[in-house]
Amino acid sequence: MKTYIYSKVKRAGLFSLLFPLSTLLFVACTDSFLDEDPDDRTKIDTPEKVIKLFKASYPDANYGWVCELSSDNVMDLNSVHLPYSSQAKQEPTHYNLTSSGRQDDEMFRFEPVKSSTSSDTPAAIWTSFYAAINSVNEGLKALDEMEASGVAVDARFRATRAEGKLIRAYSHFILVNCFSQAYKNDELSRKDIGVPYQTEPIVTVNDNYDRSNVTETYKHIQKDLEEGLKDVSDIIYEKPKWHFNVNAAHAFAARFYLFTRQWNKVIEHADAVLGTNREQLLNRMFDYTPLDDCTYLSDYANVWQDPDIYSNIMLMDTYSTIQRKCRNRYGQGSLVARAVFYHNAPMWPRWAANPSIWASGLGGNGYGTLYPAWISEQFQYSDKVAGIGYAHTIRREFTYAELLLERAEAKIMKADYDGASEDLSLYHESTLRFSPSTKQTYGANGGLVVLNKDMINGSRAWFAKKTNSNYNCFDDWNFVTNMSPDYVIPAEAVPFMNCLNYFRRYETNFSGMRFFDLKRWGIEYTHEYGLNNEKFTMTWNDPRRALEVPQDAIASGLEPSRPLMVDSVSTEKAILPNVFFGIDDANDEN
């Protein structure tokens, strides 16, 4: 079994200097050639140096845990709840578990995080992504200066600039989806606070960072994205899957256009990667067969996170302990687990988990919560004798499976229900790419049937005959509640959107993407907290759908994400990211 341990050089600035956040917690990224020497600073004066800079300029924070806690994918095990299995005795229970930190309690209650700026917090996302942007801006400025001085602008030069533009666009895209409201339309989104779009390196500390609005933020993202797409090339990459390779650039474009509802462009960029040949595409989707040889979660993770498999378009190395956090107070259990993967479905006519989840590798905390192996951490030792090092989580940031579902959604919204059914059917068939013995095991009791259009359209009648249908994947969801007058899902599209909703929720589980989907679809949901099941409801237009920026940013003058809700702000000094762990925690397999 191959093991993939990927390390990145820590940005020295991240550990030595956190600006007071009138600078937005911008941190100058310092690779070896950017570190300040005793006498002077080495110049970035060749395209090759910029290539090296961009290699270390990808964001290293993981937005997965923050966004999962803010979504309907996670529950409080200390609240009164039923078991996740409908086959178990349906007796309410609750636990007395501790969270991994007060910041998790704050996020679950949709409150601003004031207690921590450690890894897996909004402050860590803010810091890391703006650090990446600032680093990229240093490189792009250097390229402009080289071009002005007469350096030849060849294919490698243009590809390098393209990578920088794509990193900058992607970083702002994640920031605006975390810290602002979802895009509605150009007119309505001008009323929503965006995020500062940085196109120049930070040189001095000042308070003049304008958050502008969501529409303007998206326009800047689109400009950088489209400029990057023109010249993106794999010729500058030694390991393309860790960069914005050509396929990853198209996948990002498809996601961006999906969020801005430019359906034709979603399909165009998805087709550039997926093609239109069903059999060929099916062979490029994830193959569960190698998982038969896995024993530990780390074994499963090595398969899922393998850069050599076709289905992974782009991977990102992050500092995160999301796997450990799933073992504490908040996790995927009870009715949440039923909604995500443990339910009846037309494809397996019995109460059971989605067969692919069992083949995926599952971890848990012994209290009825489960999580998939694809979020399992890798551990990088800095001192094996002392048993210390850094916890990494490899994100499968762009995959064939999610891109296929994005294309399906665009087809639904274009009323191409035949085309959408083909994509949804192909996705489902890909989740059944087991070895013959495994397929026989999971198909023995009731069989496995590949989804088709008639099953999607007939799902309402099918579920009407079942009990507890609210735990099933094809139930009606209240999409786009008043999001904008030009974003309406007609009745005939609803069964397809219900199916898509389930597949996306399953496929992106623990990636954080569910929070983005809930925002852009206007879906309302509730968290139940504590023994008394105190309810925290997120309405479609709730200001809390935008995560609050770090508290010292607000104290320094930055406009808050939730301006109507700010009453007082902590001015405590920022805490350094907490990503240093001991061996005992890191080696716990299950």
Side-chain angles (χ1 to χ4, degrees):
M1 179 65 62
K2 293 187 288 187
T3 299
Y4 299 94
I5 301 291
Y6 302 99
S7 62
K8 303 197 307 188
V9 177
K10 279 282 188 180
R11 297 187 180 96
L14 190 57
F15 289 89
S16 62
L17 177 63
L18 287 178
F19 292 125
L21 241 83
S22 54
T23 62
L24 308 176
L25 276 175
F26 288 143
V27 186
C29 174
T30 56
D31 205 320
S32 58
F33 48 87
L34 280 182
D35 289 337
E36 190 172 353
D37 294 327
D39 297 323
D40 200 357
R41 187 179 174 99
T42 303
K43 291 184 178 180
I44 315 172
D45 53 7
T46 68
E48 293 304 314
K49 288 182 179 180
V50 180
I51 290 173
K52 291 180 181 179
L53 172 62
F54 288 168
K55 182 179 179 180
S57 295
Y58 285 80
D60 55 19
N62 191 335
Y63 59 91
W65 181 244
V66 171
C67 292
E68 290 297 298
L69 265 180
S70 304
S71 77
D72 61 353
N73 268 358
V74 173
M75 62 164 290
D76 179 9
L77 290 175
N78 290 357
S79 65
V80 179
H81 60 276
L82 296 173
Y84 74 84
S85 172
S86 63
Q87 307 302 304
K89 191 172 183 180
Q90 299 300 292
E91 289 186 349
T93 187
H94 69 89
Y95 300 103
N96 187 27
L97 303 174
T98 58
S99 60
S100 62
R102 193 174 72 185
Q103 69 274 8
D104 286 2
D105 303 324
E106 293 167 335
M107 285 186 282
F108 187 79
R109 296 192 301 255
F110 307 133
E111 298 171 359
V113 175
K114 300 181 179 181
S115 60
S116 175
T117 58
S118 64
S119 59
D120 298 307
T121 65
I125 299 169
W126 185 267
T127 304
S128 173
F129 279 76
Y130 273 119
I133 291 166
N134 196 52
S135 178
V136 163
N137 286 338
E138 290 276 5
L140 290 173
K141 181 180 179 182
L143 290 173
D144 288 343
E145 291 172 351
M146 289 177 224
E147 183 176 4
S149 68
V151 172
V153 180
D154 58 12
R156 287 181 65 82
F157 189 105
R158 289 191 295 272
T160 304
R161 177 177 279 158
E163 182 181 19
K165 293 289 183 73
L166 290 167
I167 297 172
R168 188 166 71 185
Y170 163 81
S171 297
H172 284 103
F173 178 77
I174 298 301
L175 286 165
V176 75
N177 277 284
C178 286
F179 296 100
S180 300
Q181 296 293 324
Y183 175 83
K184 300 181 178 72
N185 61 27
D186 279 359
E187 179 182 358
L188 292 173
S189 290
R190 291 187 188 280
K191 301 175 184 178
D192 291 330
I193 302 167
V195 296
Y197 205 93
Q198 294 302 122
T199 58
E200 296 290 336
I202 301 302
V203 178
T204 60
V205 176
N206 63 72
D207 296 330
N208 300 319
Y209 293 104
D210 180 16
R211 292 191 64 171
S212 186
N213 57 65
V214 170
T215 295
E216 289 304 312
T217 301
Y218 268 91
K219 287 185 181 300
H220 285 302
I221 294 170
Q222 183 165 340
K223 180 176 184 293
D224 271 346
L225 168 62
E226 292 178 348
E227 288 178 358
L229 280 167
K230 289 178 183 177
D231 294 316
V232 65
S233 172
D234 293 351
I235 61 174
I236 60 173
Y237 305 137
E238 295 177 4
K239 298 178 180 179
K241 291 291 183 75
W242 298 95
H243 297 264
F244 268 109
N245 57 74
V246 174
N247 281 348
H250 284 294
F252 172 39
R255 185 176 297 174
F256 172 84
Y257 292 126
L258 184 77
F259 280 43
T260 54
R261 301 193 294 279
Q262 300 178 64
W263 312 123
N264 288 334
K265 290 186 177 181
V266 176
I267 296 170
E268 173 191 344
H269 288 282
D271 283 351
V273 180
L274 303 175
T276 56
N277 184 301
R278 180 185 176 96
E279 183 177 354
Q280 183 182 60
L281 178 53
L282 185 61
N283 289 331
R284 292 178 174 178
M285 302 288 279
F286 184 78
D287 186 353
Y288 290 74
T289 304
L291 299 176
D292 283 1
D293 298 326
C294 297
T295 302
Y296 299 105
L297 281 178
S298 57
D299 300 332
Y300 287 94
N302 288 335
V303 177
W304 281 106
Q305 300 166 5
D306 188 348
D308 293 332
I309 62 176
Y310 218 110
S311 59
N312 286 333
I313 296 175
M314 178 177 163
L315 303 173
M316 295 187 71
D317 179 13
T318 69
Y319 294 104
S320 171
T321 57
I322 182 173
Q323 175 188 352
R324 305 181 199 186
K325 295 179 186 298
C326 294
R327 304 171 186 169
N328 296 297
R329 177 173 179 173
Y330 303 105
Q332 202 163 83
S334 189
L335 306 188
V336 176
R338 294 193 198 183
V340 177
F341 59 78
Y342 203 96
H343 43 237
N344 255 331
M347 301 89 79
W348 57 92
R350 61 193 178 97
W351 275 99
N354 183 329
S356 58
I357 192 69
W358 294 123
S360 299
L362 283 173
N365 65 355
Y367 295 95
T369 64
L370 300 169
Y371 58 86
W374 55 69
I375 65 166
S376 294
E377 78 180 34
Q378 307 278 7
F379 198 80
Q380 176 193 358
Y381 290 96
S382 59
D383 187 334
K384 278 201 170 186
V385 176
I388 56 176
Y390 301 100
H392 294 251
T393 299
I394 307 301
R395 289 184 58 89
R396 301 165 62 243
E397 197 65 21
F398 296 102
T399 66
Y400 269 78
E402 187 177 357
L403 184 57
L404 178 63
L405 293 177
E406 289 168 347
R407 187 173 75 178
E409 183 175 349
K411 290 179 179 179
I412 293 170
M413 296 310 300
K414 285 174 58 64
D416 178 10
Y417 302 126
D418 288 336
S421 297
E422 279 294 310
D423 283 349
L424 293 170
S425 172
L426 192 152
Y427 170 80
H428 177 241
E429 186 174 358
S430 77
T431 67
L432 305 179
R433 295 185 69 207
F434 307 135
S435 64
S437 59
T438 304
K439 183 171 290 189
Q440 183 176 8
T441 299
Y442 292 116
N445 300 316
L448 297 174
V449 181
V450 176
L451 185 74
N452 59 43
K453 183 181 179 182
D454 290 339
M455 293 163 69
I456 295 172
N457 267 326
S459 60
R460 294 185 188 184
W462 190 89
F463 280 125
K465 301 176 183 177
K466 304 292 179 180
T467 58
N468 295 323
S469 61
N470 55 311
Y471 304 133
N472 294 299
C473 61
F474 286 58
D475 274 346
D476 286 342
W477 286 72
N478 188 12
F479 295 99
V480 298
T481 305
N482 300 317
M483 283 293 287
S484 68
D486 55 353
Y487 187 24
V488 178
I489 296 178
E492 59 269 23
V494 170
F496 299 92
M497 286 297 293
N498 287 333
C499 177
L500 176 86
N501 173 57
Y502 165 61
F503 284 158
R504 278 190 61 82
R505 192 175 187 184
Y506 173 79
E507 179 62 33
T508 65
N509 198 18
F510 283 104
S511 73
M513 195 58 62
R514 176 64 176 173
F515 181 52
F516 298 167
D517 284 349
L518 292 171
K519 290 171 70 168
R520 67 189 181 90
W521 287 336
I523 293 177
E524 301 183 347
Y525 55 101
T526 298
H527 282 178
E528 295 189 1
Y529 176 80
L531 182 59
N532 295 324
N533 288 55
E534 184 180 1
K535 290 180 170 53
F536 295 84
T537 298
M538 186 71 81
T539 57
W540 77 271
N541 61 345
D542 198 306
R544 297 170 301 172
R545 285 185 182 254
L547 300 177
E548 190 54 272
V549 299
Q551 295 298 297
D552 46 358
I554 300 173
S556 299
L558 186 71
E559 189 175 6
S561 297
R562 308 167 177 179
L564 301 179
M565 305 183 72
V566 174
D567 47 9
S568 63
V569 175
S570 169
T571 58
E572 294 180 2
K573 190 178 178 79
I575 305 170
L576 292 178
N578 177 20
V579 293
F580 213 67
F581 298 94
I583 188 171
D584 291 338
D585 287 337
N587 283 345
D588 186 2
E589 288 282 355
N590 293 297

